[in-house]
């Protein structure tokens, strides 16, 4: 087994963890800034 395959899997796992962590944070920040924006159309 080439040694690059585990590195690729670790990279994919880290990317998945970062995506799962950033989605709720980004959604929270986006919702807060939109709600606090007095110039927002909505």
């Amino acid at each position: 087994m080439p040694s690059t395959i585990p590195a690729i899997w670790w990279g994919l796992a880290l990317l998945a963890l970062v995506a799962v962590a950033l989605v709720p944070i980004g959604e929270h920040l986006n919702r807060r800034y939109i709600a606090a924006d007095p110039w927002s159309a909505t």
Side-chain angles (χ1 to χ4, degrees), residues 8-37:
I8 291 171
W9 283 115
W10 277 114
L12 288 175
L14 285 175
L15 282 176
L17 286 175
V18 168
V20 168
L22 284 182
V23 165
I25 294 172
E27 188 178 352
H28 171 72
L29 290 176
N30 203 11
R31 193 179 301 161
R32 190 179 70 181
Y33 285 138
I34 287 175
D37 186 7

